[in-house]
Every structure is written in structure tokens, then in C-alpha cells.
Amino acid sequence: MSIRKTIAAISVLLLTLGLGACGTDTGTADGTDPSANAGKAATPMTKEQAAKYYEDLVKPYNDALDEFQLEYYSNDGVAASDAAAKVAKAAKAASEKMNKATWPKNAEKYAQATANDFAADGVDYGKYAKCTTISEMNSIQRTSSSENPSAGLRKILGLGSVPGFDYFTVVDSHSNGVEADTGYATGSFTIRNGLKSTVYYLSATLSIIDANGNSVSETYPQSQSPVPAGGTWTADYVIMPDDLTKGDRIKITGISWGTDESMSNSYQIAMDSEPLNLR
């Protein structure tokens, strides 16, 4: 569940964010309150009840976490601090709800580990809430685990993958195919900056994919000008003939950028765009 090894490396774990899916009702599928099951003789929730209960309790946490990350990546220390307080509150509430419920037997250990991670996030984000700058947040030593027990819980409960946070989106893509005279494949991806601040040296990791979906080679186009909030940048690619023998598609698998021209703070997050055919 933890999103950080340290908060400076928050982006590395973006795809392993612990938790969520949407929901509104905190009761189980049959209308009962799972917290009423607490106690030695309590009847465990069914898989379906537990899945709904988990999705509902984790939604406020995910919403608060999304707000925090947007402010953090936008390099707004004051707004990130305010958002961190919301994450801390939501994490503590989620931990309490996790501990009140009686989980299916095969989910118990994952539920307990996830509850512990929620509690640790409540401590960590409570510390971030006392900071006024991103640099202060980066200096705080985490207490939460770098593991992701919620992934095991989601699997046991039959839930899908964790939702991602789209701070950068592909708004257009185009393949020109292979040039007859050179044998090179060319094309482009146009990426929108969804942050609240200008980014510098925006770069995309473009992965060439083989027939099995494996990355066999990469290229790293980089913007030569700052990209303002809401602005776009077109990442052009040129693929050599030798690489075309290894794979037949290309997609974005990562984004990196700096918060200023001196790159005093830089981030890298995973991304998974729709692939383009190279030929």
C-alpha cells in the first residue's frame, strides 16, 4: 500500500499504489455492517462481501492520495501539505475499518498486513502534513512498508488491478510506417502535461514490443522546451532497421521530468500507452 520507498522515489512505485476502486456504500452486499462481525465467534464475510467492503473503505484514501500526488508532482509544498493531512486521516480510518471486519480465512493475513500499512501511512502522511516544502517531505524517513500486501488481498478477493493516476496522457499518436528508402520506422506520441505546473526536460521512454508483449529495445526522446500546465509535447521516434527485426510495435512505458531548469527535483513514473504498429 505504501506509495514510497522514500517520498522522493514516489514515482517509482506509482503502479503499485495499494489500493482502490470506486464505491459508495460501506455495507456488505446483503446490507449488513461487516464491523458487526468482530469477535471470536464472528462469521467471516464472504468473498463478495469482503470485496465490496474493501473497495468502499479504500476509496476515500485513494481520492486523498490522488490529490496529494497531484500537488506533490506539481511541486506545491503548501498544497501538498494540506493534501497530506487528508491522506493521513483517510489512512487511519481505513486501518480501523480493516481491523473491525472479519475477513475470509484465506484473506486474513493480507487484510492484517494491509491494515498495518494503512496505519503506517497515517503516521507518514501526518508527518508530511507538518511540512511546508517538498524538500522537507523528501527528507522524512518513512515508517510504512515498501511491500504491497494489498495486491495479495485484491487477488484473493477477485478484484482487478489498482487504478492508475493519469498525470500525463497521450492525446494523439501516429505511425508513419517504414520509410522505403531508409528502412527506418518513424512516428510520434503527443503527451499532455496534466500537472498544475510547468515541467522541464520532459522525456518519454518508448519501448519496442515483440509479438509476446516483451520490451526488446527502448528509445528516449526529450522535449527541448518547457511544457506548461495543460500543454502538450510531441515525442517523435526514429527506429533503426535492426530494431525492427526484434519487435513490431512501440508504446510509452515511462515519463520523466524536472520541476525547474536546474533539475533540482526530478521524477519518473510508469506509463502504459496503447501501442502503435511500427510497420
Side-chain angles (χ1 to χ4, degrees):
M1 177 182 66
S2 172
I3 64 164
R4 305 168 44 254
K5 292 183 179 176
T6 66
I7 199 164
I10 191 172
S11 55
V12 178
L13 297 178
L14 192 61
L15 289 186
T16 64
L17 289 178
L19 308 158
C22 295
T24 55
D25 180 11
T26 55
T28 58
D30 61 5
T32 61
D33 181 358
S35 64
N37 290 335
K40 292 184 179 179
T43 301
M45 290 184 286
T46 65
K47 175 181 175 180
E48 292 74 19
Q49 289 173 333
K52 184 179 188 304
Y53 183 67
Y54 179 72
E55 286 184 318
D56 289 346
L57 75 84
V58 81
K59 185 179 185 301
Y61 173 88
N62 278 339
D63 289 346
L65 186 62
D66 191 17
E67 180 183 349
F68 168 79
Q69 290 188 29
L70 177 61
E71 305 298 353
Y72 177 85
Y73 285 136
S74 297
N75 207 38
D76 189 334
V78 175
S81 176
D82 292 342
K86 298 178 184 179
V87 179
K89 181 179 179 180
K92 292 175 183 178
S95 179
E96 292 173 359
K97 290 182 179 180
M98 292 287 297
N99 286 323
K100 284 181 180 178
T102 303
W103 298 87
K105 191 68 176 178
N106 62 343
E108 283 181 347
K109 64 180 181 180
Y110 298 105
Q112 185 58 63
T114 300
N116 292 343
D117 248 12
F118 272 129
D121 271 359
V123 173
D124 284 346
Y125 283 94
K127 294 177 181 177
Y128 308 151
K130 296 178 181 179
C131 300
T132 58
T133 67
I134 299 298
S135 294
E136 288 179 36
M137 294 181 187
N138 290 343
S139 68
I140 292 176
Q141 180 65 36
R142 65 170 179 82
T143 59
S144 52
S145 170
S146 61
E147 301 298 324
N148 185 28
S150 65
L153 181 61
R154 294 184 67 85
K155 183 177 181 180
I156 290 293
L157 299 182
L159 296 173
S161 59
V162 179
F165 303 110
D166 297 326
Y167 305 114
F168 294 89
T169 54
V170 176
V171 296
D172 190 28
S173 59
H174 179 71
S175 172
N176 298 321
V178 179
E179 296 178 350
D181 54 342
T182 66
Y184 287 83
T186 63
S188 64
F189 291 88
T190 300
I191 303 165
R192 172 170 287 128
N193 172 15
L195 299 180
K196 297 166 61 178
S197 60
T198 296
V199 298
Y200 296 79
Y201 305 107
L202 182 61
S203 179
T205 299
L206 304 185
S207 297
I208 298 172
I209 308 299
D210 66 14
N212 296 317
N214 299 314
S215 176
V216 294
S217 185
E218 294 179 341
T219 183
Y220 310 93
Q222 184 179 80
S223 69
Q224 300 304 305
S225 301
V227 182
T232 61
W233 163 62
T234 298
D236 297 309
Y237 64 80
V238 179
I239 306 302
M240 298 175 61
D242 285 350
D243 284 332
L244 293 175
T245 65
K246 304 174 184 177
D248 57 2
R249 293 174 296 159
I250 189 169
K251 67 177 182 177
I252 303 176
T253 56
I255 294 287
S256 63
W257 72 96
T259 59
D260 52 39
E261 289 187 354
S262 64
M263 296 289 283
S264 58
N265 284 312
S266 60
Y267 303 103
Q268 181 176 353
I269 62 175
M271 190 173 180
D272 188 21
S273 74
E274 290 296 320
L276 287 174
N277 291 322
L278 288 169
R279 297 184 179 278

